[in-house]
Amino acid sequence: CERGLQQVTKNSPLHGLLLSTLSEVQLKSGNTALATINSNAAIGILFTHLSDAKETRVAYWLRGAYQGLGDIEKENHHPAIALGYYNKAIALIDQYYKGQRKREKAQLSVLSGHVLLQLNQPQKAMEQYNAALSLMMPSFQPTTIYDLPQASDLYGESSLLDALHGKAECLNALNKK
């Protein structure tokens, strides 16, 4: 990333993408302070290019930067702030990719469910997990929180497992109340 940052035009969309990628590496390395700085810089750069019709990938990259900043805030034990960034990423998908990017939207719903559980809101978290499952399996349309997808509809996707695990955590939390 750092080598690429030296090669690209400063404040270009690629510069923003590389800063976002660098922040993900820094988060995985445990350096949340630098990750936050680079993620915010990436968002600032990418946001300025969002309306540029020639830059068709910017909305997707900005979605990733918001998701990354949400992950940083989640790691820093700020679940409400993380949820705000996940919602911004979902809004970008809804605005720029109507009906597309279902996998990414499902992943964001799962992440939102996780932080809602941290906020002790299992009912709202369950809604997010169900939304993720419905995005990945359109035939799954739950009528109660206890509904599960048919076994024959399941397939190998980590987000499915995360959503089902999240549902189990929600049910456990709801039964403890």
Side-chain angles (χ1 to χ4, degrees):
C1 290
E2 291 171 351
R3 190 185 244 169
L5 285 166
Q6 295 170 357
Q7 302 294 318
V8 299
T9 304
K10 188 174 173 115
N11 297 321
S12 68
L14 280 175
H15 185 232
L17 173 63
L18 288 172
L19 283 171
S20 179
T21 304
L22 179 60
S23 75
E24 291 174 26
V25 172
Q26 291 164 331
L27 173 61
K28 289 188 188 322
S29 300
N31 193 341
T32 58
L34 265 180
T36 300
I37 290 167
N38 286 317
S39 191
N40 278 313
I43 289 168
I45 291 168
L46 292 168
F47 190 81
T48 63
H49 292 281
L50 194 54
S51 60
D52 187 347
K54 295 181 291 185
E55 299 294 346
T56 57
R57 300 168 294 188
V58 170
Y60 188 74
W61 295 345
L62 182 57
R63 177 231 31 106
Y66 279 134
Q67 181 175 338
L69 192 51
D71 293 344
I72 294 165
E73 293 299 342
K74 181 179 168 210
E75 181 71 20
N76 285 334
H77 307 289
H78 302 132
I81 297 170
L83 184 61
Y85 288 119
Y86 295 150
N87 285 333
K88 285 183 179 197
I90 289 170
L92 279 172
I93 291 173
D94 289 343
Q95 181 178 352
Y96 290 91
Y97 302 102
K98 296 171 181 45
Q100 301 174 338
R101 301 290 183 187
K102 291 180 182 182
R103 184 173 189 270
E104 289 89 342
K105 189 172 178 179
Q107 289 171 338
L108 286 160
S109 292
V110 167
L111 291 168
S112 296
H114 291 344
V115 295
L116 285 164
L117 270 175
Q118 289 179 347
L119 292 167
N120 199 27
Q121 298 179 28
Q123 187 74 39
K124 288 183 179 181
M126 181 70 79
E127 292 170 11
Q128 292 297 315
Y129 295 127
N130 281 339
L133 291 168
S134 294
L135 281 166
M136 293 182 287
M137 296 180 303
S139 63
F140 178 65
Q141 297 300 319
T143 56
T144 74
I145 61 171
Y146 301 102
D147 290 347
L148 293 170
Q150 297 294 317
S152 59
D153 290 340
L154 299 174
Y155 58 95
E157 166 61 50
S158 62
S159 293
L160 277 177
L161 177 63
D162 292 341
L164 289 169
H165 187 264
K167 269 184 76 95
E169 288 184 22
C170 287
L171 290 170
N172 189 34
L174 288 167
N175 286 331
K176 286 184 177 178
K177 288 187 171 188

